[in-house]
Amino acid sequence: MAPEISTPAILLRRTDYGDYDLILTCLTLSQGKISLMAKYAKKSRKRFAGALELFTELNLVWNRPRGRAMPVLREASIANPFGGIRADVLKTAYASYWTEMVTLWLESGTPQKAVFGLLRYALDALDRDAMAAEVLSLVFQVRFLKLAGFLPDFRHCSRCRRPVEATQSGRFDFEVGSASLVCPACRPSLEGGHHTLAKGSLMQLLWVAETDLAHVSRMRFGPRQVGETTVLLETFIPYHLGRVPRSLKFLRQVRPGDRGEH
Ligand SMILES: [Zn+2]
């Protein structure tokens, strides 16, 4: 008999497969992102005791497949339902955006324990209202980009190489395509079409990227700083993914203050 694998996992995506089955995309603690076949799960919710809801933290058991076949789920039990997320449209939109980033960005089958920890942290805090959702989304995006190796150098001006904390106050430019930051002193040489960020917003972004996650919830975030950093991240991420995630379009439709365009 094939060896059994048992691991915590977060359900990222469910896709119908024929009339009876579901294909699940999960971020697992020990195996990274994987796809699993859940036989009869579409036909009968009872098959896995209603455990296969999006964003749920589960304990999964499956057999290591022969060759390249998709593994077949044997057991699923709920570790944390995060039910407060699915009961709220805005929370669902945020959780969908984060899980779609993970789905689109991570390669399958490579363990990503830090990403698992980050996603679990964000879903748990969203579920419990531990932090404002827009702040949590900023934290998730910055930390995820860092773990994925795509966080731009927000610490130095790309022209004069001066560290942000050593520059004069004022607005920095950020050029999305080249992911380059330009300090206020070097700014006059730039053409238009850039995003700008206040020095305070940049310092907050750097702090979010580098501090221990356990301390993040104690920080005070200014609404204006969160707002302009959010606009930058939600422009940078689609640019580097090569498309606007569907979940981000949905988030923009349901988020108060958004105009539903972009
Ligand atoms: Zn400079």
Side-chain angles (χ1 to χ4, degrees), residues 157-162 182-183 185-186:
C157 172
S158 61
R159 304 282 169 96
C160 67
R161 303 304 303 162
R162 207 174 285 141
V182 181
C183 78
C186 298

Side-chain angles (χ1 to χ4, degrees), residues 20-22 38-48:
Y20 301 101
D21 307 334
L22 292 175
K39 289 200 179 271
Y40 303 105
K42 184 184 172 196
K43 183 81 174 165
S44 165
R45 279 187 91 247
K46 285 191 214 144
R47 169 68 183 88
F48 290 101

